[in-house]
Structure formats: C-alpha cells, structure tokens
Amino acid sequence: MQHVDNTPGAPEQNLPPLLLEAVRYAEDRHWEVVPGAWLLDGDAPASCSCGEERCALPGAHPLGADWRSRASSGPGVVRTWWTENPEASILLPTGRTFDVLDVPEVAGCLALARMERMGLQLGPVAAVPAAPGRSGRRLHFLVLPGVVDKLPDMLRQIGWSPERLDLVARGEGDWVVAPPSRVGGYASAQWARPPSALNRWLPDALELVSPLAYACGREAGAPRPVQRAAAAVR
C-alpha cells in the first residue's frame, strides 16, 4: 500500500490524486462521497478489486450494500478512507446534493456547445469512459435533485418519446464515478466543465432537457418533435 504523508504541513503534491480530489469534493462542494472498487494492474488486462471475474463495472461500483449509509461529506472521514486505500475510486451518490443527466459523449458535446451559446446556467459536467462491453463515453450533467421521476413527462411535453432517446436520469439510490477515477481499462473520468465558484449553483434539469433531447435525437436519427409540442413549451 502506498505511504501517505498525513502530517500537518505535508506538501499536497505528495498526496495521492484521488485523496486530494475526494477531500476537495467533500470540503469545497459539500458533496457526499464514498470509496468504491478499484482496478488491479498486472500482466493481464486490469481487473476489479472486488474479485469478480466478470465484473460488469470494474473499478466503478460500491464495495458493499451499505454504501449509501456510509457516504459522507466530512473531510476528515473522507481523508481517512483514501489514506487507508489511495487507489479506491471516488463515487458520488446521486439524488442527494444533485442528480445527473447522463447522455452519450457526442450528443452531450453538441448540446453543451449549444447551451453555452444560449448562455444557459450550467453546473459541472463529467466525461466518463464506457464500461467494458459498452460503447462510447458518456457526459454527466449535474443538475438539482428530483429529476428522475419527472424526466419522461418533460420529454413528452416537448414532443420526444423517452424510449427513443439515450438520455438517462440518475437519482436516489444510484451513483456516478468522479474524476480522476479510472474506469474499465486505463481511461479515467475527467471534467468537461470542472466544479468552480461559477457553477456552484446547479441548474434545474428543465433548463437542459430540451437541448440534450434534441442532440440525443439527432445522433439517434429519431424523428424531430412536432412544432406544436415545442411551441407549447415556450
């Protein structure tokens, strides 16, 4: 196990990156975090620390059924966790401080550029590698909690069929992997729009759903919504 210099005044550059980021999420953003599984390197492709030969989410899942109750935003608790295991992935429970709108990377980038041109308020956005057996990276847009149950109706009101769009809401009982955790192989989660003082206040999902749905529909070749439905939302 990697030695961590945890003495007062120890230079931050000597601390493991995952420890530094996990503490920053808890201390600066007041996000609850919990350590997850991690990747084991060797001669063969990287495997998951959970020991499951066919793990569906190598290095990207909780370590036990009690992970929701263990999650903490206490910097001291978080520091202790990653001091004990500097390689653990950083998991952020959704449905508490924030929910996540999860879309394919290409559609997410198109929507992100459009939302920036529109001057919409945006929160942090993470880019996460695909898990083994799945194709394409994902973009995770952080929004105010409470969107999971509302998303299907939001999409229908603007003329989109929820079943035809690769647009997923993650809320209570779910989690996302936070940068710079490694996922699947050797790729790491990264921030497309990192947390900052400018995006501390998260947007309401309703403000982002329309451009995200349009971009997802365009990439999937889904029929565009009828004008009548779009006009009704305006």
Side-chain angles (χ1 to χ4, degrees), residues 21-33:
E21 291 305 311
V23 170
R24 284 173 183 157
Y25 295 149
E27 192 167 45
D28 297 346
R29 306 295 290 202
H30 305 294
W31 289 344
E32 290 187 348
V33 302

Side-chain angles (χ1 to χ4, degrees), residues 6-232:
N6 208 21
T7 57
E12 281 203 344
Q13 59 265 32
N14 291 337
L15 298 177
L18 288 165
L19 184 155
L20 287 173
E21 291 305 311
V23 170
R24 284 173 183 157
Y25 295 149
E27 192 167 45
D28 297 346
R29 306 295 290 202
H30 305 294
W31 289 344
E32 290 187 348
V33 302
V34 66
W38 61 96
L39 295 177
L40 301 174
D41 296 321
D43 295 334
S47 59
C48 186
S49 65
C50 72
E52 289 290 336
E53 185 176 350
R54 297 184 179 180
C55 178
L57 296 169
H61 64 82
L63 293 171
D66 64 342
W67 67 272
R68 287 188 290 273
S69 61
R70 294 183 61 229
S72 175
S73 58
V77 174
V78 173
R79 181 177 290 271
T80 298
W81 283 337
W82 269 272
T83 298
E84 294 173 348
N85 189 354
E87 298 178 345
S89 60
I90 304 172
L91 305 183
L92 304 176
T94 51
R96 299 184 179 186
T97 308
F98 59 82
D99 281 358
V100 161
L101 293 174
D102 176 346
V103 299
E105 183 181 41
V106 173
C109 288
L110 288 172
L112 184 58
R114 184 181 181 192
M115 289 186 281
E116 288 175 339
R117 290 195 302 270
M118 295 168 64
L120 293 181
Q121 175 191 352
L122 293 169
V125 181
V128 181
R134 304 180 186 179
S135 60
R137 294 166 60 92
R138 311 287 297 187
L139 285 195
H140 290 167
F141 290 75
L142 274 61
V143 297
L144 291 173
V147 66
V148 174
D149 293 335
K150 301 175 182 176
L151 182 59
D153 283 341
M154 287 182 185
L155 293 172
R156 293 188 189 99
Q157 286 172 9
I158 55 177
W160 292 100
S161 171
E163 296 77 17
R164 303 195 66 170
L165 297 180
D166 188 1
L167 171 54
V168 181
R170 300 188 178 278
E172 181 62 36
D174 206 347
W175 73 88
V176 290
V177 181
S181 306
R182 288 171 54 201
V183 180
Y186 294 94
S188 298
Q190 300 175 323
W191 288 111
R193 287 179 60 91
S196 71
L198 297 178
N199 59 27
R200 182 171 294 278
W201 304 107
L202 298 178
D204 190 302
L206 183 61
E207 301 174 17
L208 309 190
V209 164
S210 181
L212 285 173
Y214 176 82
C216 289
R218 175 177 169 180
E219 287 304 300
R224 296 180 63 176
V226 296
Q227 288 297 115
R228 180 177 57 80

